[in-house]
């Protein structure tokens, strides 16, 4: 299959291109599109064949459910068995935006879309191209991140093309995304609202709006396999670069010294080494490649560049990656969730 790649203005996408893209979704084909978090791979959410195509294109296990993207809150009523009062509150505060809500599903949603689960994940993305694609298609759009299963999520159209060219009908190129890590997922079917995946919207922001306690899924905090995460997708070894990756955590000068020491050892073994550093520290490292993720003081930039940097590590064909740790104040939890997974939870404390 030839994949058509169309550039679109992210603020004001071309009407004709969006109509074409919408028609493809309505015809059961797959179209990749930008959202504010990462690029999504879209198909008609209410058609089981479209879900099957998505799983096949990504090489994704079919028990890993898809997020249904909507452009209007009233569509929540279509896909949910009933809409909890909490959903309305959260939507008023955060939609369109980087928040996915899990609710009990209606009969209209095929179990192929929800990976066999009785619940459904719903999100209203905050991106003109995504919203216009939903409207033009006349469909609700099931969309996982538009990467091959196991690779970092795509934050630019070229990442989508790397992974999925020849496997999908179309890619809408709206430039680099704004946030760079996937939406926060909150499960509203639990006794206490539970965050299944940390993201840009923090538990504190959610509990402030809900006026009740919001808990974290114990399975995403555990560093071992003893507690399974509730979101099936959080179980898989995700975001994993090909090389071994180690996070070094601690006070800045100690981290730099440790990474330089380890780099020296690996290089005498003939290994090519990459270091993930910040604007502030990059000049202190002596590795084959020093990748700068952004300013430490700018946590939004760190989130934005994380996946691109992990992809670069693969392209550079390095044998070992050392990364600084990014426990930043607001979205540090979300950043570290992805980074720890990439590193298989290998952390050296200095
Ligand atoms: O920011 C995002 O959420 C992006 C953009 C494209 O919207 N999408 C995204 O989708 O990250 P995906 O498929 O890569 O991740 C969806 C996650 C998976 O971990 C999946 O297991 C979980 O959501 N999930 C989906 N439906 C669920 C459900 N009913 N119950 C529990 N977890 C669910
Ligand atoms: Mg994904």
């Amino acid at each position: 299959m030839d994949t058509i790649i169309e550039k679109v203005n992210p603020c004001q996408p071309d009407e004709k291109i969006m109509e074409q893209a919408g028609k493809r979704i309505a015809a059961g084909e797959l179209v990749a599109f930008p959202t504010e978090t990462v690029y999504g791979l879209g198909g008609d959410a209410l058609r089981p064949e479209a879900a099957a195509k998505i799983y096949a294109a990504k090489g994704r296990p079919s028990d890993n459910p898809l997020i249904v993207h909507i452009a209007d809150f009233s569509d929540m009523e279509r896909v949910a068995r009933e809409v909890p009062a909490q959903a309305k509150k959260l939507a008023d505060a955060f939609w369109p935006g980087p928040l996915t809500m899990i609710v009990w599903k209606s009969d209209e949603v095929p179990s192929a879309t929800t990976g066999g689960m009785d619940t459904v994940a719903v999100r209203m993305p905050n991106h003109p191209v995504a919203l216009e694609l939903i409207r033009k298609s006349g469909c609700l759009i099931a969309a996982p991140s538009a990467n091959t299963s196991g690779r970092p999520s795509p934050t630019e159209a070229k990442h989508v093309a790397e992974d999925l060219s020849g496997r999908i009908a179309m890619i809408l190129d709206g430039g680099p995304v704004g946030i760079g890590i996937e939406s926060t997922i909150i499960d509203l079917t639990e006794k206490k609202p539970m965050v299944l995946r940390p993201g840009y919207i923090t538990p504190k922001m959610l509990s402030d709006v809900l006026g009740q306690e919001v808990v974290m899924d114990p399975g995403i905090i555990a560093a071992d396999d003893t507690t399974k995460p509730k979101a099936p997708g959080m179980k898989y070894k995700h975001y994993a670069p090909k090389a071994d990756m180690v996070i070094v955590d601690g006070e800045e000068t100690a981290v730099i010294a440790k990474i330089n020491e380890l780099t020296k050892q690996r290089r005498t073994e003939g290994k090519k080494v990459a270091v993930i550093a910040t604007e502030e520290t990059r000049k202190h490292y002596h590795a084959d490649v020093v990748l700068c993720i952004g300013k430490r003081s700018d946590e939004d930039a760190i989130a934005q560049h994380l996946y691109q940097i992990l992809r670069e590590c693969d392209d550079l064909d390095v044998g070992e990656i050392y990364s600084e740790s990014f426990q930043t104040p607001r979205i540090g939890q979300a950043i570290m969730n992805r980074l720890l997974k990439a590193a298989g939870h290998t952390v050296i404390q200095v």
Side-chain angles (χ1 to χ4, degrees), residues 145 147 153 238:
S145 49
N147 50 287
S153 293
H238 239 171

Side-chain angles (χ1 to χ4, degrees), residues 146-227:
N147 50 287
T148 301
S149 196
R151 292 214 76 201
S153 293
T155 54
E156 291 180 38
K158 71 168 187 221
H159 302 157
V160 181
E162 269 167 32
D163 285 11
L164 301 176
S165 260
R167 308 173 74 91
I168 62 176
M170 191 174 192
I171 300 171
L172 294 170
D173 179 356
V177 299
I179 293 179
I181 52 177
E182 307 85 344
S183 60
T184 304
I185 301 179
I186 186 166
D187 187 343
L188 299 177
T189 68
E190 290 281 341
K191 258 207 205 88
K192 286 183 186 169
M194 184 188 275
V195 171
L196 305 188
R197 179 173 71 183
Y200 189 82
I201 312 253
T202 63
K204 166 88 170 59
M205 289 159 81
L206 295 165
S207 66
D208 283 351
V209 167
L210 291 173
Q212 78 183 109
E213 191 193 354
V214 170
V215 297
M216 287 295 278
D217 176 2
I220 57 170
I221 304 170
D224 48 39
D225 284 341
T226 50
T227 320

Side-chain angles (χ1 to χ4, degrees), residues 250-323:
E251 188 269 319
E252 186 178 291
T253 45
V255 167
I256 294 169
K258 187 71 186 173
I259 290 182
N260 278 332
E261 176 199 323
L262 292 166
T263 299
K264 207 168 161 188
Q265 285 171 12
R266 293 294 88 76
R267 292 183 75 190
T268 50
E269 292 160 10
K271 266 195 183 166
K272 192 170 165 188
V273 177
V275 173
I276 302 178
T278 56
E279 202 69 73
E280 293 89 338
T281 56
R282 62 189 302 178
K283 56 183 180 297
H284 301 299
Y285 291 108
H286 315 289
D288 297 281
V289 195
V290 179
L291 298 162
C292 178
I293 198 165
K295 271 207 183 114
R296 179 164 289 276
S297 54
D298 182 358
E299 53 179 321
D300 290 332
I302 293 174
Q304 221 170 31
H305 298 142
L306 178 65
Y307 286 142
Q308 170 203 320
I309 291 239
L310 293 180
R311 277 180 184 259
E312 269 177 51
C313 288
D314 280 352
D315 296 343
L316 290 164
D317 210 17
V318 293
E320 188 90 16
I321 306 163
Y322 294 110
S323 177

Side-chain angles (χ1 to χ4, degrees), residues 26-96:
E29 294 179 54
L30 305 186
V31 176
F33 60 96
T35 79
E36 79 280 32
T37 57
V38 298
Y39 272 75
L41 174 60
D44 184 347
L46 302 184
R47 257 210 253 189
E49 316 86 75
K53 277 190 191 170
I54 290 175
Y55 291 121
K58 277 180 66 86
R60 174 170 173 143
S62 60
D63 64 347
N64 188 2
L66 308 173
I67 297 174
V68 176
H69 293 68
I70 63 175
D72 195 297
F73 187 77
S74 65
D75 284 324
M76 181 69 146
E77 281 152 26
R78 260 180 93 183
V79 297
R81 201 160 73 198
E82 71 195 88
V83 179
Q86 297 148 317
K88 181 78 181 79
K89 277 192 192 171
L90 292 175
D92 285 343
F94 301 117
W95 275 3

Side-chain angles (χ1 to χ4, degrees), residues 97-116:
L99 180 69
T100 296
M101 298 184 219
I102 310 269
V103 293
W104 296 106
K105 83 170 191 70
S106 72
D107 293 338
E108 238 191 296
V109 184
S111 69
T113 298
T114 64

